[in-house]
PDB file of all heavy atoms in Angstrom:
ATOM      1  N   ARG A  74      48.626 -39.260  30.180  1.00  0.00           N
ATOM      2  CA  ARG A  74      47.594 -40.157  29.652  1.00  0.00           C
ATOM      3  C   ARG A  74      46.720 -39.423  28.637  1.00  0.00           C
ATOM      4  O   ARG A  74      46.418 -39.955  27.559  1.00  0.00           O
ATOM      5  CB  ARG A  74      46.749 -40.691  30.819  1.00  0.00           C
ATOM      6  CG  ARG A  74      45.779 -41.786  30.401  1.00  0.00           C
ATOM      7  CD  ARG A  74      45.037 -42.360  31.606  1.00  0.00           C
ATOM      8  NE  ARG A  74      45.945 -43.177  32.426  1.00  0.00           N
ATOM      9  CZ  ARG A  74      46.385 -42.820  33.622  1.00  0.00           C
ATOM     10  NH1 ARG A  74      46.009 -41.654  34.158  1.00  0.00           N
ATOM     11  NH2 ARG A  74      47.189 -43.615  34.306  1.00  0.00           N
ATOM     12  N   ARG A  75      46.359 -38.198  28.943  1.00  0.00           N
ATOM     13  CA  ARG A  75      45.527 -37.417  28.034  1.00  0.00           C
ATOM     14  C   ARG A  75      46.258 -37.145  26.719  1.00  0.00           C
ATOM     15  O   ARG A  75      45.687 -37.279  25.628  1.00  0.00           O
ATOM     16  CB  ARG A  75      45.117 -36.105  28.702  1.00  0.00           C
ATOM     17  CG  ARG A  75      44.136 -35.280  27.865  1.00  0.00           C
ATOM     18  CD  ARG A  75      43.821 -33.961  28.542  1.00  0.00           C
ATOM     19  NE  ARG A  75      43.293 -34.154  29.883  1.00  0.00           N
ATOM     20  CZ  ARG A  75      43.825 -33.651  30.991  1.00  0.00           C
ATOM     21  NH1 ARG A  75      44.932 -32.913  30.927  1.00  0.00           N
ATOM     22  NH2 ARG A  75      43.275 -33.872  32.173  1.00  0.00           N
ATOM     23  N   ALA A  76      47.519 -36.784  26.798  1.00  0.00           N
ATOM     24  CA  ALA A  76      48.291 -36.493  25.593  1.00  0.00           C
ATOM     25  C   ALA A  76      48.474 -37.740  24.732  1.00  0.00           C
ATOM     26  O   ALA A  76      48.340 -37.698  23.497  1.00  0.00           O
ATOM     27  CB  ALA A  76      49.658 -35.916  25.981  1.00  0.00           C
ATOM     28  N   ALA A  77      48.778 -38.863  25.379  1.00  0.00           N
ATOM     29  CA  ALA A  77      48.973 -40.106  24.627  1.00  0.00           C
ATOM     30  C   ALA A  77      47.692 -40.521  23.918  1.00  0.00           C
ATOM     31  O   ALA A  77      47.717 -40.918  22.741  1.00  0.00           O
ATOM     32  CB  ALA A  77      49.438 -41.208  25.572  1.00  0.00           C
ATOM     33  N   ARG A  78      46.568 -40.416  24.608  1.00  0.00           N
ATOM     34  CA  ARG A  78      45.301 -40.808  24.001  1.00  0.00           C
ATOM     35  C   ARG A  78      44.976 -39.911  22.801  1.00  0.00           C
ATOM     36  O   ARG A  78      44.485 -40.393  21.768  1.00  0.00           O
ATOM     37  CB  ARG A  78      44.184 -40.750  25.048  1.00  0.00           C
ATOM     38  CG  ARG A  78      42.873 -41.324  24.541  1.00  0.00           C
ATOM     39  CD  ARG A  78      41.821 -41.375  25.633  1.00  0.00           C
ATOM     40  NE  ARG A  78      42.061 -42.474  26.569  1.00  0.00           N
ATOM     41  CZ  ARG A  78      42.379 -42.328  27.836  1.00  0.00           C
ATOM     42  NH1 ARG A  78      42.526 -41.118  28.351  1.00  0.00           N
ATOM     43  NH2 ARG A  78      42.554 -43.376  28.614  1.00  0.00           N
ATOM     44  N   ARG A  79      45.278 -38.640  22.917  1.00  0.00           N
ATOM     45  CA  ARG A  79      44.999 -37.714  21.807  1.00  0.00           C
ATOM     46  C   ARG A  79      45.866 -38.044  20.593  1.00  0.00           C
ATOM     47  O   ARG A  79      45.360 -38.121  19.459  1.00  0.00           O
ATOM     48  CB  ARG A  79      45.266 -36.277  22.261  1.00  0.00           C
ATOM     49  CG  ARG A  79      45.127 -35.233  21.155  1.00  0.00           C
ATOM     50  CD  ARG A  79      45.391 -33.836  21.678  1.00  0.00           C
ATOM     51  NE  ARG A  79      46.681 -33.744  22.373  1.00  0.00           N
ATOM     52  CZ  ARG A  79      47.850 -33.665  21.735  1.00  0.00           C
ATOM     53  NH1 ARG A  79      47.896 -33.677  20.407  1.00  0.00           N
ATOM     54  NH2 ARG A  79      48.974 -33.569  22.415  1.00  0.00           N
ATOM     55  N   VAL A  80      47.158 -38.263  20.795  1.00  0.00           N
ATOM     56  CA  VAL A  80      48.069 -38.486  19.668  1.00  0.00           C
ATOM     57  C   VAL A  80      47.820 -39.847  19.028  1.00  0.00           C
ATOM     58  O   VAL A  80      47.767 -39.967  17.793  1.00  0.00           O
ATOM     59  CB  VAL A  80      49.533 -38.348  20.147  1.00  0.00           C
ATOM     60  CG1 VAL A  80      50.497 -38.738  19.039  1.00  0.00           C
ATOM     61  CG2 VAL A  80      49.807 -36.919  20.604  1.00  0.00           C
ATOM     62  N   VAL A  81      47.665 -40.891  19.834  1.00  0.00           N
ATOM     63  CA  VAL A  81      47.406 -42.220  19.281  1.00  0.00           C
ATOM     64  C   VAL A  81      46.027 -42.257  18.620  1.00  0.00           C
ATOM     65  O   VAL A  81      45.836 -42.898  17.577  1.00  0.00           O
ATOM     66  CB  VAL A  81      47.542 -43.293  20.376  1.00  0.00           C
ATOM     67  CG1 VAL A  81      47.073 -44.656  19.871  1.00  0.00           C
ATOM     68  CG2 VAL A  81      48.997 -43.376  20.845  1.00  0.00           C
ATOM     69  N   GLY A  82      45.084 -41.547  19.196  1.00  0.00           N
ATOM     70  CA  GLY A  82      43.765 -41.458  18.576  1.00  0.00           C
ATOM     71  C   GLY A  82      43.829 -40.846  17.185  1.00  0.00           C
ATOM     72  O   GLY A  82      43.103 -41.264  16.277  1.00  0.00           O
ATOM     73  N   ALA A  83      44.712 -39.857  17.010  1.00  0.00           N
ATOM     74  CA  ALA A  83      44.885 -39.265  15.675  1.00  0.00           C
ATOM     75  C   ALA A  83      45.409 -40.300  14.693  1.00  0.00           C
ATOM     76  O   ALA A  83      45.022 -40.331  13.517  1.00  0.00           O
ATOM     77  CB  ALA A  83      45.827 -38.068  15.767  1.00  0.00           C
ATOM     78  N   GLY A  84      46.308 -41.191  15.173  1.00  0.00           N
ATOM     79  CA  GLY A  84      46.807 -42.260  14.314  1.00  0.00           C
ATOM     80  C   GLY A  84      45.713 -43.219  13.906  1.00  0.00           C
ATOM     81  O   GLY A  84      45.643 -43.647  12.738  1.00  0.00           O
ATOM     82  N   LEU A  85      44.839 -43.575  14.825  1.00  0.00           N
ATOM     83  CA  LEU A  85      43.730 -44.456  14.493  1.00  0.00           C
ATOM     84  C   LEU A  85      42.763 -43.793  13.522  1.00  0.00           C
ATOM     85  O   LEU A  85      42.172 -44.459  12.665  1.00  0.00           O
ATOM     86  CB  LEU A  85      43.002 -44.890  15.759  1.00  0.00           C
ATOM     87  CG  LEU A  85      43.735 -45.939  16.609  1.00  0.00           C
ATOM     88  CD1 LEU A  85      43.018 -46.146  17.931  1.00  0.00           C
ATOM     89  CD2 LEU A  85      43.867 -47.261  15.856  1.00  0.00           C
ATOM     90  N   ARG A  86      42.603 -42.484  13.635  1.00  0.00           N
ATOM     91  CA  ARG A  86      41.738 -41.797  12.670  1.00  0.00           C
ATOM     92  C   ARG A  86      42.350 -41.821  11.269  1.00  0.00           C
ATOM     93  O   ARG A  86      41.616 -41.843  10.270  1.00  0.00           O
ATOM     94  CB  ARG A  86      41.464 -40.363  13.135  1.00  0.00           C
ATOM     95  CG  ARG A  86      40.501 -40.293  14.324  1.00  0.00           C
ATOM     96  CD  ARG A  86      40.012 -38.884  14.588  1.00  0.00           C
ATOM     97  NE  ARG A  86      41.083 -38.005  15.057  1.00  0.00           N
ATOM     98  CZ  ARG A  86      41.496 -37.926  16.317  1.00  0.00           C
ATOM     99  NH1 ARG A  86      40.931 -38.685  17.239  1.00  0.00           N
ATOM    100  NH2 ARG A  86      42.463 -37.084  16.656  1.00  0.00           N
ATOM    101  N   ARG A  87      43.672 -41.831  11.173  1.00  0.00           N
ATOM    102  CA  ARG A  87      44.315 -42.023   9.861  1.00  0.00           C
ATOM    103  C   ARG A  87      43.957 -43.390   9.291  1.00  0.00           C
ATOM    104  O   ARG A  87      43.665 -43.530   8.095  1.00  0.00           O
ATOM    105  CB  ARG A  87      45.835 -41.911   9.979  1.00  0.00           C
ATOM    106  CG  ARG A  87      46.377 -40.503  10.091  1.00  0.00           C
ATOM    107  CD  ARG A  87      47.905 -40.527  10.071  1.00  0.00           C
ATOM    108  NE  ARG A  87      48.423 -41.121   8.858  1.00  0.00           N
ATOM    109  CZ  ARG A  87      49.650 -41.622   8.725  1.00  0.00           C
ATOM    110  NH1 ARG A  87      50.485 -41.632   9.771  1.00  0.00           N
ATOM    111  NH2 ARG A  87      50.064 -42.116   7.579  1.00  0.00           N
ATOM    112  N   VAL A  88      43.978 -44.411  10.140  1.00  0.00           N
ATOM    113  CA  VAL A  88      43.573 -45.752   9.706  1.00  0.00           C
ATOM    114  C   VAL A  88      42.120 -45.732   9.246  1.00  0.00           C
ATOM    115  O   VAL A  88      41.774 -46.322   8.211  1.00  0.00           O
ATOM    116  CB  VAL A  88      43.786 -46.765  10.855  1.00  0.00           C
ATOM    117  CG1 VAL A  88      43.181 -48.124  10.500  1.00  0.00           C
ATOM    118  CG2 VAL A  88      45.274 -46.907  11.193  1.00  0.00           C
ATOM    119  N   ASP A  89      41.265 -45.047   9.983  1.00  0.00           N
ATOM    120  CA  ASP A  89      39.855 -44.941   9.599  1.00  0.00           C
ATOM    121  C   ASP A  89      39.705 -44.292   8.225  1.00  0.00           C
ATOM    122  O   ASP A  89      38.875 -44.713   7.405  1.00  0.00           O
ATOM    123  CB  ASP A  89      39.085 -44.108  10.624  1.00  0.00           C
ATOM    124  CG  ASP A  89      38.998 -44.776  11.987  1.00  0.00           C
ATOM    125  OD1 ASP A  89      39.192 -45.997  12.076  1.00  0.00           O
ATOM    126  OD2 ASP A  89      38.742 -44.051  12.976  1.00  0.00           O
ATOM    127  N   ARG A  90      40.486 -43.257   7.967  1.00  0.00           N
ATOM    128  CA  ARG A  90      40.396 -42.570   6.667  1.00  0.00           C
ATOM    129  C   ARG A  90      40.841 -43.492   5.536  1.00  0.00           C
ATOM    130  O   ARG A  90      40.252 -43.451   4.449  1.00  0.00           O
ATOM    131  CB  ARG A  90      41.238 -41.293   6.679  1.00  0.00           C
ATOM    132  CG  ARG A  90      40.632 -40.181   7.547  1.00  0.00           C
ATOM    133  CD  ARG A  90      41.284 -38.843   7.272  1.00  0.00           C
ATOM    134  NE  ARG A  90      42.684 -38.793   7.685  1.00  0.00           N
ATOM    135  CZ  ARG A  90      43.103 -38.485   8.903  1.00  0.00           C
ATOM    136  NH1 ARG A  90      42.223 -38.200   9.863  1.00  0.00           N
ATOM    137  NH2 ARG A  90      44.392 -38.427   9.185  1.00  0.00           N
ATOM    138  N   ARG A  91      41.858 -44.323   5.782  1.00  0.00           N
ATOM    139  CA  ARG A  91      42.300 -45.244   4.724  1.00  0.00           C
ATOM    140  C   ARG A  91      41.238 -46.312   4.456  1.00  0.00           C
ATOM    141  O   ARG A  91      41.045 -46.724   3.313  1.00  0.00           O
ATOM    142  CB  ARG A  91      43.635 -45.907   5.095  1.00  0.00           C
ATOM    143  CG  ARG A  91      44.812 -44.953   5.321  1.00  0.00           C
ATOM    144  CD  ARG A  91      44.938 -43.848   4.264  1.00  0.00           C
ATOM    145  NE  ARG A  91      45.089 -44.285   2.916  1.00  0.00           N
ATOM    146  CZ  ARG A  91      46.262 -44.554   2.311  1.00  0.00           C
ATOM    147  NH1 ARG A  91      47.391 -44.448   2.971  1.00  0.00           N
ATOM    148  NH2 ARG A  91      46.308 -44.913   1.045  1.00  0.00           N
ATOM    149  N   ARG A  92      40.562 -46.744   5.513  1.00  0.00           N
ATOM    150  CA  ARG A  92      39.473 -47.706   5.306  1.00  0.00           C
ATOM    151  C   ARG A  92      38.349 -47.079   4.489  1.00  0.00           C
ATOM    152  O   ARG A  92      37.825 -47.700   3.543  1.00  0.00           O
ATOM    153  CB  ARG A  92      38.935 -48.186   6.659  1.00  0.00           C
ATOM    154  CG  ARG A  92      37.730 -49.099   6.530  1.00  0.00           C
ATOM    155  CD  ARG A  92      37.286 -49.656   7.868  1.00  0.00           C
ATOM    156  NE  ARG A  92      36.137 -50.548   7.715  1.00  0.00           N
ATOM    157  CZ  ARG A  92      35.721 -51.409   8.624  1.00  0.00           C
ATOM    158  NH1 ARG A  92      36.364 -51.505   9.784  1.00  0.00           N
ATOM    159  NH2 ARG A  92      34.666 -52.185   8.408  1.00  0.00           N
ATOM    160  N   ALA A  93      37.978 -45.861   4.830  1.00  0.00           N
ATOM    161  CA  ALA A  93      36.927 -45.177   4.083  1.00  0.00           C
ATOM    162  C   ALA A  93      37.349 -44.966   2.631  1.00  0.00           C
ATOM    163  O   ALA A  93      36.522 -45.064   1.710  1.00  0.00           O
ATOM    164  CB  ALA A  93      36.600 -43.837   4.742  1.00  0.00           C
ATOM    165  N   GLU A  94      38.625 -44.696   2.421  1.00  0.00           N
ATOM    166  CA  GLU A  94      39.146 -44.527   1.066  1.00  0.00           C
ATOM    167  C   GLU A  94      38.994 -45.822   0.274  1.00  0.00           C
ATOM    168  O   GLU A  94      38.579 -45.810  -0.891  1.00  0.00           O
ATOM    169  CB  GLU A  94      40.618 -44.117   1.151  1.00  0.00           C
ATOM    170  CG  GLU A  94      41.283 -43.837  -0.180  1.00  0.00           C
ATOM    171  CD  GLU A  94      42.737 -43.416   0.022  1.00  0.00           C
ATOM    172  OE1 GLU A  94      43.451 -44.057   0.828  1.00  0.00           O
ATOM    173  OE2 GLU A  94      43.149 -42.456  -0.632  1.00  0.00           O
ATOM    174  N   ARG A  95      39.330 -46.972   0.893  1.00  0.00           N
ATOM    175  CA  ARG A  95      39.156 -48.254   0.208  1.00  0.00           C
ATOM    176  C   ARG A  95      37.707 -48.465  -0.187  1.00  0.00           C
ATOM    177  O   ARG A  95      37.398 -48.850  -1.329  1.00  0.00           O
ATOM    178  CB  ARG A  95      39.614 -49.405   1.104  1.00  0.00           C
ATOM    179  CG  ARG A  95      39.413 -50.783   0.450  1.00  0.00           C
ATOM    180  CD  ARG A  95      39.509 -51.934   1.449  1.00  0.00           C
ATOM    181  NE  ARG A  95      40.778 -51.936   2.124  1.00  0.00           N
ATOM    182  CZ  ARG A  95      40.922 -51.717   3.431  1.00  0.00           C
ATOM    183  NH1 ARG A  95      39.860 -51.458   4.192  1.00  0.00           N
ATOM    184  NH2 ARG A  95      42.115 -51.754   3.992  1.00  0.00           N
ATOM    185  N   GLU A  96      36.806 -48.227   0.756  1.00  0.00           N
ATOM    186  CA  GLU A  96      35.389 -48.449   0.485  1.00  0.00           C
ATOM    187  C   GLU A  96      34.900 -47.553  -0.648  1.00  0.00           C
ATOM    188  O   GLU A  96      34.093 -47.984  -1.486  1.00  0.00           O
ATOM    189  CB  GLU A  96      34.591 -48.212   1.771  1.00  0.00           C
ATOM    190  CG  GLU A  96      34.884 -49.261   2.848  1.00  0.00           C
ATOM    191  CD  GLU A  96      34.356 -48.900   4.214  1.00  0.00           C
ATOM    192  OE1 GLU A  96      33.861 -47.746   4.382  1.00  0.00           O
ATOM    193  OE2 GLU A  96      34.426 -49.739   5.131  1.00  0.00           O
ATOM    194  N   ARG A  97      35.407 -46.338  -0.696  1.00  0.00           N
ATOM    195  CA  ARG A  97      35.022 -45.418  -1.766  1.00  0.00           C
ATOM    196  C   ARG A  97      35.546 -45.912  -3.123  1.00  0.00           C
ATOM    197  O   ARG A  97      34.827 -45.871  -4.139  1.00  0.00           O
ATOM    198  CB  ARG A  97      35.585 -44.029  -1.462  1.00  0.00           C
ATOM    199  CG  ARG A  97      35.159 -42.966  -2.483  1.00  0.00           C
ATOM    200  CD  ARG A  97      35.547 -41.577  -2.019  1.00  0.00           C
ATOM    201  NE  ARG A  97      37.007 -41.391  -1.920  1.00  0.00           N
ATOM    202  CZ  ARG A  97      37.688 -41.320  -0.785  1.00  0.00           C
ATOM    203  NH1 ARG A  97      37.059 -41.408   0.382  1.00  0.00           N
ATOM    204  NH2 ARG A  97      38.992 -41.139  -0.789  1.00  0.00           N
ATOM    205  N   LEU A  98      36.793 -46.416  -3.154  1.00  0.00           N
ATOM    206  CA  LEU A  98      37.375 -46.898  -4.411  1.00  0.00           C
ATOM    207  C   LEU A  98      36.694 -48.174  -4.892  1.00  0.00           C
ATOM    208  O   LEU A  98      36.524 -48.374  -6.099  1.00  0.00           O
ATOM    209  CB  LEU A  98      38.875 -47.116  -4.239  1.00  0.00           C
ATOM    210  CG  LEU A  98      39.698 -45.839  -4.017  1.00  0.00           C
ATOM    211  CD1 LEU A  98      41.150 -46.177  -3.740  1.00  0.00           C
ATOM    212  CD2 LEU A  98      39.589 -44.897  -5.215  1.00  0.00           C
ATOM    213  N   VAL A  99      36.306 -49.050  -3.957  1.00  0.00           N
ATOM    214  CA  VAL A  99      35.587 -50.260  -4.357  1.00  0.00           C
ATOM    215  C   VAL A  99      34.243 -49.878  -4.975  1.00  0.00           C
ATOM    216  O   VAL A  99      33.818 -50.465  -5.983  1.00  0.00           O
ATOM    217  CB  VAL A  99      35.401 -51.206  -3.146  1.00  0.00           C
ATOM    218  CG1 VAL A  99      34.427 -52.331  -3.497  1.00  0.00           C
ATOM    219  CG2 VAL A  99      36.746 -51.789  -2.708  1.00  0.00           C
ATOM    220  N   ARG A 100      33.581 -48.894  -4.401  1.00  0.00           N
ATOM    221  CA  ARG A 100      32.312 -48.439  -5.001  1.00  0.00           C
ATOM    222  C   ARG A 100      32.552 -47.841  -6.387  1.00  0.00           C
ATOM    223  O   ARG A 100      31.745 -48.039  -7.300  1.00  0.00           O
ATOM    224  CB  ARG A 100      31.640 -47.402  -4.096  1.00  0.00           C
ATOM    225  CG  ARG A 100      31.043 -47.969  -2.820  1.00  0.00           C
ATOM    226  CD  ARG A 100      30.095 -46.972  -2.165  1.00  0.00           C
ATOM    227  NE  ARG A 100      30.783 -45.735  -1.784  1.00  0.00           N
ATOM    228  CZ  ARG A 100      31.365 -45.532  -0.604  1.00  0.00           C
ATOM    229  NH1 ARG A 100      31.355 -46.489   0.311  1.00  0.00           N
ATOM    230  NH2 ARG A 100      31.968 -44.381  -0.323  1.00  0.00           N
ATOM    231  N   ARG A 101      33.663 -47.121  -6.544  1.00  0.00           N
ATOM    232  CA  ARG A 101      33.938 -46.464  -7.819  1.00  0.00           C
ATOM    233  C   ARG A 101      34.353 -47.466  -8.890  1.00  0.00           C
ATOM    234  O   ARG A 101      33.847 -47.434 -10.022  1.00  0.00           O
ATOM    235  CB  ARG A 101      35.037 -45.422  -7.632  1.00  0.00           C
ATOM    236  CG  ARG A 101      35.410 -44.683  -8.924  1.00  0.00           C
ATOM    237  CD  ARG A 101      36.603 -43.760  -8.704  1.00  0.00           C
ATOM    238  NE  ARG A 101      36.352 -42.798  -7.640  1.00  0.00           N
ATOM    239  CZ  ARG A 101      37.292 -42.031  -7.094  1.00  0.00           C
ATOM    240  NH1 ARG A 101      38.550 -42.126  -7.505  1.00  0.00           N
ATOM    241  NH2 ARG A 101      36.984 -41.167  -6.142  1.00  0.00           N
TER     242      ARG A 101
END
């Protein structure tokens, strides 16, 4: 359970980074 949460959490953080990237490009 701990390993799965860590690895899947890393995937969600990738999604978070893409969202932040969109917001940055819209501002630019």
Side-chain angles (χ1 to χ4, degrees):
R74 188 176 288 109
R75 185 183 303 122
R78 188 175 284 114
R79 175 179 53 78
V80 173
V81 171
L85 285 172
R86 287 192 293 277
R87 283 185 59 200
V88 172
D89 294 341
R90 289 194 293 274
R91 300 315 302 271
R92 175 175 181 164
E94 183 179 45
R95 178 195 302 115
E96 293 167 353
R97 184 171 64 253
L98 293 175
V99 169
R100 288 195 299 270
R101 179 186 303 168

